[in-house]
Amino acid sequence: MAYRPNDHPRRETVIDIGRPKPANFTGGLEFTSLTYTVTKKTKVEGKWLKQEVDLLHKITGFAPKGCITAVMGPSGAGKSTFLDGVAGRIASGSLKGRVSLDGKQTSPSIIKRTSAYIMQDDRLFPTLTVYETLMFAADFRLGPISTADKKQRVEKLIQQLGLSSARNTYIGDEGTRGVSGGERRRVSIGVDIIHGPALLFLDEPTSGLDSTSAHSVIEKVHHIARSGSTVILTIHQPSARIQLLLDHMIILARGQLMYQGSPKDVSLHLGRMGQKVHKEESPVEHLIDIIQEYDQSEHGVEALAEFARTGVKPPRLAEGDVSISTILPTPTPPRRNGRGNDLGFQKNGKRLPLQTSTHVTNDFDHSVRSPYNTSRSWTAGNSGVMETLHRFTPSRKPKDNKMKSPLSASPGYNYSSEIIQNTPTPHSSDYTVNENDYLTPEHDPNSSSSHHHLAPKFSNSFLPETWILMRRNFKNIRRTPELFLSRLFVLTFMGFLMATMFKNPPSSTQGITNRLSFFIFTVCLFFFSSNDAVPAFIQERFIFVRETAHNAYRASSYTIAGLITYLPFLALQASVYAGIVWYALKLRGPFLYFLVVLYVSLLSTNSFVVFVSSVVPNYILGYAAVIAFTALFFLFCGYFLNSHDIPKYWKWMNYVSTMTYPYEGLIMNQYQTNESFGQNPNGTSITGFQILNSLNINYGGGETLSSVKKWEKIYIMLGWTVLYRILFYLVIRFFSKNQRT
């Protein structure tokens, strides 16, 4: 391919990338100059310095339609980061570059609506069968089509995924036997492809599977790709059988492109590098070994990245080359180039990597900006990568202005002879990178892109969506009755205990104290009985994130469905306890009010605990937070100090305590009367109104106002219920996302 000088502002000469697409191009996903930069703190000589690190650095390539594109590389190469980038799971503005689908520029929001993302961990409800799991997925993703059509689609999918024998088997979990690991992975795939997505992303689909199960999973994915979907997956050390199913390959290292093309062409790529592959050795594994060797040398992977871009042969590694990361010099602060980017840490004129080669995270220094000088060659030396990059010599100019490099027609590409006619070629104009290119585009009435005129964002309207979620919740509760029955058993047992302990209180001040103790214990009991709601959302968080990432349903529908589902169960719990203690203790006042106070108290505390579970990351912090707030609410509810005696600077805690209002409501229901409930030591009677006055509880005065004040407590508790549910909605809507920033 001929050179064209001064075609790019950062290159003296570049390879011609203006070749038009083949006439029979069938489409796929194209990505141009994807760069993802984060700021990290590095400790140097006892001081923390900020450094910009590229987790992805100017990656340009494509994933052809109807093929499996495998993203590979050493640990920490940026595979998952790259997959998140092209799948629209990196926050808009953080990822720079351009992504196109079928030749038309797209955005993260559009990609999410036309794709499915299958995470590495299978997050499914263990109490549902394979058929039920796929049917609920069909209800969410296929919209208002007939149930018969949904069942037909599910049955066909079960056959295609080879799940017929496990059709009625529970998914299961660590404590319950269910489907096998390979079957679980295929169910996860089925959940996300039930609606026939144009794009399918899979993060390590073979992780944790044996060779046979892994091959079975990739074989099913291969069939999905052949049906017309664009499939991109990350995979670590695929077997020889799995490599035969891969059509296209992208190999990364430290966030840079090392190779792109057919797995069959890896040997040719290695040959052009001057590397030989033994017949018994896998070329792909050998290439990754070579990448790791360069990564541990003073040349770094930049040498191989330059070869992938330009075809300039990388310097050979000397036999004595060792990883610089094994040397322990004292580094100096990072040096910056003219653009303010860190060029790495320098020691004795050599650039040092930030981490050792055995580090398995993405914490690498990808901030080295190599000159794009394709007409010059590498000059081997011992002064480090940066000095080597600046000491090119024009000794490898092509003889006939044509470079027979593995790049063929465009930088960074290796075309397979089998798919060259069906793969896109990036245009030179795509190299103009704008940070806004990856933002969601506005609807342009003059645009002819079909991607801007998609189906509605959600397949179902709000009410059907809520009903589907409620049906699934009820089924899960029915399959795990111990969760509900255990709480009901505790309240029943404690009800009998209270009925026997506080029966027939004496007509004295001690009897009044005993009755007040019963009320506060009841309030605390109902608060603690809601603690098992802590794992409610924590368990489902990953399922919720996976399902809402591609608009299966709304966060508002999930919030409302969760509330409505528990209404009858909470009502039964309150009714059982109220029925036991009311008649045994001969409480006074309307029984209905007593029951409503207990019921609304359960609603408000349940909503509070569910909100806490959405904020905390795990069970331990969740229970710790609930216990801490329980102690605070108990302290300021008015039992130890009435509201009048609480210091002014702590008075607000009395108002926000969810125990204050049920406690005062139960006392008002019992003592809003002139009846005597005991005698003072001097023999005078103690009336109910006197008890309320001594506790500084505002009951309004008079029966009419007293009734209004009683029901105010109910309204306030309902208000707290609504507030906590709104806060829960806001958290899951805006903060419970599996998205990089």
Side-chain angles (χ1 to χ4, degrees):
M1 192 62 62
Y3 288 99
R4 296 191 305 181
N6 302 323
D7 190 50
H8 193 281
R10 293 186 183 177
R11 300 188 183 190
E12 295 181 6
T13 56
V14 298
I15 299 174
D16 184 3
I17 60 174
R19 187 173 67 92
K21 296 178 182 178
N24 60 346
F25 169 67
T26 58
L29 191 70
E30 300 176 70
F31 40 91
T32 305
S33 296
L34 292 187
T35 301
Y36 178 44
T37 305
V38 297
T39 301
K40 295 194 174 185
K41 291 184 178 180
T42 305
K43 195 171 185 179
V44 179
E45 296 181 350
K47 296 181 179 180
W48 289 97
L49 300 177
K50 291 184 177 180
Q51 183 184 28
E52 289 186 349
V53 178
D54 283 357
L55 300 186
L56 298 176
H57 179 62
K58 292 190 177 296
I59 298 179
T60 297
F62 63 95
K65 186 176 181 180
C67 299
I68 294 182
T69 298
V71 183
M72 298 179 60
S75 297
K79 300 185 293 294
S80 296
T81 305
F82 169 77
L83 197 68
D84 288 344
V86 295
R89 296 164 69 87
I90 294 179
S92 298
S94 297
L95 181 72
K96 298 179 182 179
R98 174 174 296 180
V99 176
S100 300
L101 180 61
D102 295 336
K104 298 180 177 64
Q105 184 180 343
T106 185
S107 68
S109 62
I110 294 175
I111 288 180
K112 288 181 180 179
R113 294 167 63 180
T114 58
S115 69
Y117 190 107
I118 300 172
M119 301 178 184
Q120 184 173 348
D121 297 326
D122 301 315
R123 302 292 181 174
L124 304 169
F125 286 101
T127 58
L128 300 179
T129 65
V130 171
Y131 175 78
E132 290 169 344
T133 301
L134 294 176
M135 272 302 299
F136 278 118
D139 288 335
F140 287 128
R141 309 300 283 271
L142 298 183
I145 66 174
S146 66
T147 303
D149 290 339
K150 292 178 182 177
K151 290 181 178 179
Q152 183 179 2
R153 177 79 69 90
V154 169
E155 294 291 356
K156 183 178 180 181
L157 185 60
I158 288 176
Q159 294 179 359
Q160 291 175 340
L161 294 175
L163 295 170
S164 298
S165 61
R167 180 184 184 279
N168 297 316
T169 305
Y170 290 115
I171 299 298
D173 55 14
E174 295 81 1
T176 306
R177 188 176 180 84
V179 298
S180 66
E183 290 170 337
R184 184 193 302 268
R185 188 60 49 87
R186 279 177 272 163
V187 174
S188 295
I189 295 173
V191 165
D192 283 313
I193 68 171
I194 189 70
H195 61 301
L199 290 169
L200 180 60
F201 303 99
L202 302 97
D203 188 13
E204 295 283 358
T206 61
S207 177
L209 301 180
D210 59 83
S211 177
T212 302
S213 299
H215 180 265
S216 177
V217 168
I218 299 301
E219 192 174 36
K220 302 307 177 185
V221 174
H222 184 267
H223 295 328
I224 295 169
R226 289 296 183 264
S227 66
S229 297
T230 300
V231 178
I232 305 177
L233 57 86
T234 60
I235 191 167
H236 189 67
Q237 290 184 338
S239 64
R241 291 191 301 168
I242 290 179
Q243 289 186 33
L244 295 176
L245 298 174
L246 305 179
D247 305 297
H248 195 60
M249 185 177 292
I250 296 174
I251 298 181
L252 305 176
R254 292 187 178 262
Q256 300 185 69
L257 184 64
M258 300 289 105
Y259 171 81
Q260 181 173 202
S262 169
K264 299 178 181 179
D265 294 338
V266 175
S267 297
L268 178 62
H269 183 76
L270 287 168
R272 287 168 174 163
M273 289 173 55
Q275 301 288 340
K276 295 182 180 180
V277 184
H278 297 288
K279 294 182 179 180
E280 297 81 7
E281 188 176 9
S282 168
V284 176
E285 292 181 1
H286 184 68
L287 176 57
I288 293 178
D289 290 342
I290 294 298
I291 292 172
Q292 289 179 319
E293 290 178 7
Y294 272 88
D295 186 34
Q296 296 173 12
S297 73
E298 65 176 4
H299 304 295
V301 296
E302 287 82 3
L304 300 182
E306 183 74 9
F307 174 67
R309 284 193 301 268
T310 66
V312 176
K313 195 172 181 179
R316 296 187 64 86
L317 295 175
E319 293 182 0
D321 279 352
V322 295
S323 173
I324 300 179
S325 59
T326 61
I327 305 174
L328 299 175
T330 303
T332 58
R335 171 169 65 89
R336 294 182 176 274
N337 61 12
R339 298 189 303 274
N341 296 319
D342 291 333
L343 295 180
F345 291 94
Q346 306 292 324
K347 177 63 178 178
N348 298 329
K350 297 182 179 181
R351 174 184 172 273
L352 303 180
L354 294 178
Q355 284 82 19
T356 64
S357 60
T358 57
H359 205 293
V360 295
T361 67
N362 283 340
D363 300 338
F364 296 111
D365 177 13
H366 303 310
S367 59
V368 177
R369 307 295 199 261
S370 304
Y372 296 97
N373 202 340
T374 61
S375 64
R376 300 181 179 180
S377 66
W378 287 90
T379 302
N382 297 321
S383 57
V385 174
M386 293 310 301
E387 285 69 26
T388 302
L389 288 174
H390 289 289
R391 292 200 290 114
F392 288 117
T393 58
S395 60
R396 291 180 55 88
K397 293 182 179 179
K399 296 179 180 180
D400 56 354
N401 287 336
K402 292 185 179 180
M403 179 186 292
K404 293 184 179 181
S405 72
L407 309 177
S408 185
S410 58
Y413 291 153
N414 278 285
Y415 290 98
S416 167
S417 58
E418 296 180 359
I419 62 173
I420 188 170
Q421 296 301 321
N422 294 321
T423 53
T425 303
H427 304 287
S428 58
S429 59
D430 290 340
Y431 279 82
T432 303
V433 181
N434 188 339
E435 183 175 351
N436 296 324
D437 286 344
Y438 212 69
L439 302 178
T440 303
E442 300 293 336
H443 290 278
D444 184 0
N446 299 322
S447 175
S448 60
S449 173
S450 60
H451 298 300
H452 299 310
H453 305 283
L454 301 173
K457 186 175 183 180
F458 298 97
S459 299
N460 301 287
S461 57
F462 177 80
L463 291 179
E465 208 170 69
T466 305
W467 172 242
I468 296 170
L469 287 166
M470 288 174 56
R471 286 196 295 112
R472 188 173 70 177
N473 290 342
F474 279 119
K475 184 160 292 189
N476 284 324
I477 293 175
R478 184 167 59 85
R479 299 276 171 81
T480 54
E482 61 274 8
L483 296 178
F484 166 71
L485 293 178
S486 61
R487 187 190 298 184
L488 184 62
F489 174 79
V490 169
L491 289 177
T492 303
F493 174 77
M494 295 305 298
F496 280 110
L497 191 62
M498 294 296 99
T500 54
M501 283 190 62
F502 293 97
K503 189 176 182 180
N504 300 321
S507 298
S508 63
T509 55
Q510 183 61 47
I512 297 173
T513 301
N514 292 348
R515 189 52 48 93
L516 293 178
S517 299
F518 162 74
F519 288 136
I520 190 60
F521 184 86
T522 296
V523 173
C524 290
L525 174 64
F526 273 56
F527 197 102
F528 278 113
S529 69
S530 298
N531 283 7
D532 60 358
V534 170
F537 181 72
I538 294 178
Q539 276 187 326
E540 297 181 12
R541 177 183 285 133
F542 293 102
I543 299 177
F544 170 83
V545 169
R546 177 178 61 80
E547 292 179 333
T548 55
H550 297 284
N551 305 324
Y553 49 80
R554 300 167 178 83
S556 57
S557 302
Y558 181 85
T559 303
I560 298 299
L563 175 62
I564 296 176
T565 300
Y566 281 95
L567 290 180
F569 299 103
L570 298 180
L572 180 59
Q573 294 167 18
S575 300
V576 169
Y577 182 86
I580 294 173
V581 302
W582 177 267
Y583 297 102
L585 299 182
K586 298 179 181 179
L587 301 176
R588 69 167 304 280
F591 172 77
L592 177 62
Y593 182 83
F594 181 79
L595 174 61
V596 171
V597 168
L598 296 182
Y599 179 49
V600 179
S601 174
L602 277 178
L603 282 178
S604 61
T605 55
N606 180 268
S607 298
F608 170 75
V609 174
V610 169
F611 162 64
V612 171
S613 70
S614 69
V615 176
V616 298
N618 52 56
Y619 301 101
I620 298 176
L621 289 179
Y623 282 117
V626 170
I627 292 173
F629 278 104
T630 300
L632 289 175
F633 291 165
F634 185 31
L635 178 62
F636 291 97
C637 69
Y639 176 73
F640 297 101
L641 289 176
N642 62 50
S643 58
H644 179 74
D645 296 330
I646 295 176
K648 292 182 179 180
Y649 46 84
W650 286 119
K651 199 123 184 180
W652 61 274
M653 283 295 298
N654 177 256
Y655 297 123
V656 302
S657 171
T658 55
M659 292 186 184
T660 299
Y661 307 101
Y663 174 63
E664 291 184 353
L666 293 176
I667 293 176
M668 291 171 68
N669 192 53
Q670 178 71 18
Y671 294 118
Q672 277 186 344
T673 178
N674 279 318
E675 294 181 16
S676 175
F677 290 89
Q679 293 182 344
N680 288 315
N682 58 10
T684 59
S685 298
I686 303 176
T687 65
F689 287 125
Q690 289 176 337
I691 295 173
L692 294 178
N693 288 329
S694 66
L695 295 175
N696 199 38
I697 295 177
N698 182 11
Y699 57 89
E703 292 190 8
T704 303
L705 290 177
S706 297
S707 178
V708 172
K709 286 293 182 180
K710 280 201 313 183
W711 285 99
E712 278 185 3
K713 308 301 179 182
I714 301 293
Y715 302 146
I716 293 174
M717 284 189 286
L718 288 175
W720 281 114
T721 301
V722 173
L723 176 62
Y724 286 134
R725 289 290 171 173
I726 291 176
L727 293 175
F728 171 75
Y729 163 76
L730 294 176
V731 171
I732 65 174
R733 172 67 177 83
F734 297 104
F735 301 102
S736 292
K737 295 182 179 181
N738 191 0
Q739 187 179 59
R740 300 172 187 261
T741 56

